[in-house]
Each structure stands twice: as structure tokens, then as C-alpha cells.
């Protein structure tokens, strides 16, 4: 009899642990938006690194590439641990693609448009991450990654506000 109780308790504990690892509908709505936003930051930063003539913009862009590449890897690891079948988008949204196209065509107005896009994108990301971090049904491991990223996203937003609006 005691063996049966022990086996039932172990089974229930394993089921509860497995459920905690799975992705909720909140996670499944959050992850694609976060992944596309992260990819946008990287692609826009690559454009800034090659198109801007301003050293401050280039330094910021290089930081965006490094920080967002790490964040993308951390998010992917947490998602794959919870649900190895979930595919993260490797592209940007149609609206983000329009922004990238506008940056490519901006010419001498590049720095001003990049600054505007970075402020808007990081403000949106910060709000998205705050909302997700406060969600009761978010995956614990992914939530930890996102909570840990909040100060960096805020720093990126603050840095974006100091970017020059005209190339040198």
C-alpha cells in the first residue's frame, strides 16, 4: 500500500514538474513577438553599423548586436527546454520589414530615423517584457530570462534617446 502511495505521489510530482516546464498560451503569444522584435533590433543595428557615419551610432549598434544576440540565444534555450517542437521566427514582422526598408533608403536621414526606430522599438519591447514578467501563467524559466533582460532593455531605450539625429 505504501508503495502505491509513493508511486502516485511521484507520478503527480513529475506531472506537475512537466506542466511547469510547458509553454502556456501566454508564452506562445509572447515568444513570436519577442523573437521578431529581437531580430528587428539585430537587423537594424547591422544597417546602422554599416550605414551610419557617426561613431556613437556605430557603438550603440554594436552593443545592440551583442546584447540582442545573447538575449535571443537565452530565450531560445528556455523555449527549447520547455517545448522543443516550438519554432521561433527567424524573420521580422511585415511592419518591421517596412521600417528596415525605410532605414535602407534613408540616406543622410539614417541616424535620425534609426534613433526614432530604436526609441519606439525598445519602448514597445520594455512594455511587452514588463507585461509578460507580471503574468501568473508564464513559463518560470522563460520568465526569469525576460525579467533579467528588463534592465538591459531599459538601458537600450535610455541610450537610444541620446543618439544623434544627424550623421557627422
Amino acid at each position: 500500500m505504501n508503495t502505491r502511495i509513493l508511486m502516485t505521489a511521484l507520478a503527480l510530482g513529475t506531472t506537475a514538474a512537466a506542466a511547469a516546464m510547458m509553454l502556456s498560451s501566454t508564452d506562445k503569444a509572447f515568444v513570436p513577438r519577442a523573437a521578431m522584435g529581437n531580430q528587428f533590433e539585430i537587423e537594424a543595428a547591422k544597417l546602422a553599423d554599416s550605414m551610419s557615419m557617426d561613431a556613437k551610432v556605430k557603438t550603440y549598434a554594436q552593443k545592440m548586436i551583442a546584447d540582442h544576440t545573447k538575449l535571443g540565444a537565452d530565450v531560445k534555450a528556455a523555449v527549447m527546454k520547455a517545448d522543443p517542437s516550438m519554432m521561433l521566427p527567424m524573420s521580422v514582422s511585415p511592419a518591421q520589414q517596412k521600417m528596415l526598408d525605410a532605414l535602407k533608403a534613408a540616406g543622410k536621414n539614417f541616424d535620425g530615423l534609426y534613433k526614432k526606430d530604436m526609441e519606439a522599438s525598445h519602448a514597445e519591447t520594455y512594455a511587452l517584457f514588463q507585461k509578460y514578467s507580471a503574468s501568473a501563467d508564464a513559463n518560470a524559466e522563460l520568465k526569469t530570462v525576460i525579467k533579467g533582460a528588463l534592465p538591459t532593455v531599459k538601458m537600450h531605450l535610455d541610450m537610444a534617446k541620446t543618439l544623434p539625429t544627424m550623421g557627422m
Side-chain angles (χ1 to χ4, degrees):
M1 179 93 165
N2 286 343
T3 305
R4 243 191 236 157
I5 293 171
L6 180 59
M7 294 302 285
T8 302
L10 285 173
L12 289 173
T14 303
T15 303
M21 291 298 297
M22 295 177 65
L23 297 178
S24 67
S25 59
T26 297
D27 301 320
K28 290 178 182 177
F30 169 78
V31 168
R33 286 185 63 200
M36 285 187 286
N38 197 59
Q39 190 62 36
F40 170 75
E41 297 290 345
I42 293 169
E43 290 184 29
K46 286 178 180 177
L47 289 174
D49 194 37
S50 67
M51 294 179 68
S52 179
M53 301 304 275
D54 189 286
K56 187 172 182 180
V57 172
K58 286 181 175 285
T59 299
Y60 177 82
Q62 291 161 3
K63 180 153 186 60
M64 293 307 99
I65 293 167
D67 289 354
H68 284 279
T69 298
K70 181 186 180 315
L71 176 59
D74 292 348
V75 168
K76 183 175 182 176
V79 170
M80 291 299 106
K81 190 171 182 180
D83 183 357
S85 69
M86 184 166 186
M87 299 298 295
L88 275 68
M90 296 301 296
S91 60
V92 297
S93 72
Q96 291 164 331
Q97 185 58 55
K98 285 182 183 178
M99 293 167 75
L100 290 171
D101 293 342
L103 281 170
K104 289 176 191 173
K108 66 180 181 170
N109 298 319
F110 180 88
D111 289 345
L113 184 56
Y114 181 67
K115 172 186 169 84
K116 179 178 152 275
D117 287 351
M118 290 304 95
E119 286 181 27
S121 180
H122 282 97
E124 181 180 326
T125 298
Y126 191 70
L128 177 69
F129 280 25
Q130 282 184 311
K131 182 178 179 185
Y132 180 79
S133 295
S135 176
D137 66 340
N139 174 277
E141 193 164 331
L142 182 57
K143 190 175 187 175
T144 298
V145 169
I146 298 306
K147 276 186 172 182
L150 274 168
T152 302
V153 174
K154 177 71 166 89
M155 177 186 63
H156 291 174
L157 175 59
D158 292 344
M159 289 172 69
K161 291 176 181 177
T162 69
L163 289 174
T165 56
M166 301 272 304
M168 295 182 113

